[in-house]
Amino acid sequence: MSLKNTFEKLELNNEKALAVFLTAGYPTDADFPKLVTGIFSAGADIIEIGIPFSDPLADGPVIQKSSKLSLDNNITMDKIFEYVYDIRKVTDKPLVLMGYANPVMSYGTDKFLAKCAEYKVDGVIIPDVPVEEYSSFFTTNSDIDKIMLTTPTSSDKRIQDIDKLSKGFVYCVSVTGTTGVRNEFTEEIEKNLERTYSLIKENKMMIGFGISKPEDINRFKDYSDGFIVGSAIVKSLENDVNNNDYSKTFELVKSLKEACK
């Protein structure tokens, strides 16, 4: 199911979308496809699979640690496409690959997009490719949705430009700094989310960075079409893996999805 169709279906049910970020191959290589399908079953509408990288500048310590462990376990781009192949055997729900430009360029950008199409990846997020470099980075005409990011410092015009270039949805970074759980959001952050949402006309908008609990979703429901949760999930998996049981993570996903309704 495409991202567009997913949002349309959720809108009919008056629901917000829940996207869950997982680092590819974390916490274990063997269990990863089963983990993804379990997260979908728990309520996620979209799953972002993070491409591990040695220098993930936009990520906080939780995701940085998971990325390093995946690299230590030799999780390569080809391995990630193997995961997608296995996941596609059991679900057609949206899968988005998220990673930095360097690993994609090292693999070959055209080859990467061709593999995404072959393995039915729905979208890609390359956070360090700005508007100015979009056309030089994505030189191949591909139907894969390219999802771009706004930040709290983005001007009105830049947000509008990002909206025009994006397809699938616009990723609204809620706070300055790196990914990670936030204990509080200021009134200034809330006003910026409201501003950004009012400027997005071509796409749906999802809020990420710092969203970690149902209360966060309930607070910002009026300024978003969905929410992206990463660090809180990865941290939960770190705790769960010691018991070889992901039940607490699945419960967290269920509670987050319930707040989206």
Side-chain angles (χ1 to χ4, degrees):
M1 185 186 296
S2 69
L3 288 164
K4 182 175 184 291
N5 290 342
T6 296
F7 281 111
E8 287 175 350
K9 182 179 177 182
L10 291 168
E11 197 168 18
L12 285 173
N13 294 326
N14 198 29
E15 291 181 27
K16 304 297 182 180
L18 175 65
V20 169
F21 173 92
L22 300 170
T23 302
Y26 182 86
T28 68
D29 171 19
D31 284 350
F32 189 73
K34 190 186 297 184
L35 172 62
V36 170
T37 55
I39 295 283
F40 272 135
S41 296
D45 301 296
I46 301 162
I47 288 184
E48 295 177 9
I49 299 176
I51 301 165
F53 181 45
S54 57
D55 194 19
L57 294 177
D59 292 310
V62 171
I63 292 178
Q64 282 190 21
K65 181 179 177 182
S66 68
S67 189
K68 182 182 185 305
L69 288 169
S70 287
L71 289 173
D72 289 345
N73 289 329
N74 299 313
I75 303 303
T76 63
M77 196 75 82
D78 283 331
K79 183 65 179 178
I80 292 168
F81 284 116
E82 285 181 30
Y83 291 147
V84 174
Y85 178 80
D86 288 338
I87 295 161
R88 279 288 173 249
K89 292 176 183 177
V90 293
T91 182
D92 67 348
K93 289 184 177 181
L95 294 173
V96 173
L97 295 188
M98 183 172 186
Y100 293 87
N102 187 287
V104 173
M105 292 172 69
S106 296
Y107 190 72
T109 306
D110 291 349
K111 179 183 175 183
F112 173 77
L113 291 173
K115 285 273 192 177
C116 285
E118 180 184 353
Y119 286 83
K120 299 180 181 174
V121 171
D122 297 278
V124 297
I125 304 172
I126 314 292
D128 53 342
V129 175
V131 170
E132 294 80 7
E133 296 175 17
Y134 179 94
S135 58
S136 60
F137 188 87
F138 295 113
T139 55
T140 301
N141 184 18
S142 168
D143 290 334
I144 304 299
D145 290 350
K146 320 294 193 313
I147 297 149
M148 301 196 74
L149 294 82
T150 69
T151 72
T153 59
S154 298
S155 67
D156 289 5
K157 183 183 182 304
R158 191 170 187 84
I159 290 168
Q160 290 165 337
D161 289 344
I162 287 167
D163 186 27
K164 288 172 186 173
L165 277 178
S166 292
K167 187 182 172 189
F169 61 88
V170 170
Y171 189 134
C172 176
V173 175
S174 66
V175 294
T176 55
T178 59
T179 59
V181 173
R182 295 293 190 282
N183 291 322
E184 65 174 332
F185 292 89
T186 65
E187 188 176 332
E188 183 182 5
I189 290 169
E190 188 165 354
K191 285 181 179 177
N192 182 66
L193 294 174
E194 185 176 8
R195 173 185 73 101
T196 305
Y197 193 47
S198 71
L199 293 166
I200 302 295
K201 305 296 183 185
E202 308 277 335
N203 287 281
K204 300 298 184 182
M205 186 188 97
M206 298 191 74
I207 298 173
F209 279 55
I211 304 297
S212 62
K213 52 190 181 295
E215 291 82 358
D216 299 334
I217 291 172
N218 286 322
R219 179 174 178 181
F220 301 128
K221 264 184 176 177
D222 291 341
Y223 319 129
S224 181
D225 301 296
F227 298 88
I228 301 160
V229 184
S231 295
I233 298 292
V234 175
K235 183 67 176 175
S236 179
L237 287 170
E238 183 181 352
N239 295 330
D240 273 354
V241 75
N242 295 327
N243 304 318
N244 200 28
D245 173 13
Y246 302 135
S247 58
K248 289 185 179 177
T249 300
F250 295 154
E251 286 300 320
L252 173 58
V253 173
K254 287 175 185 176
S255 70
L256 292 165
K257 181 55 190 177
E258 195 59 35
C260 289
K261 295 179 180 178

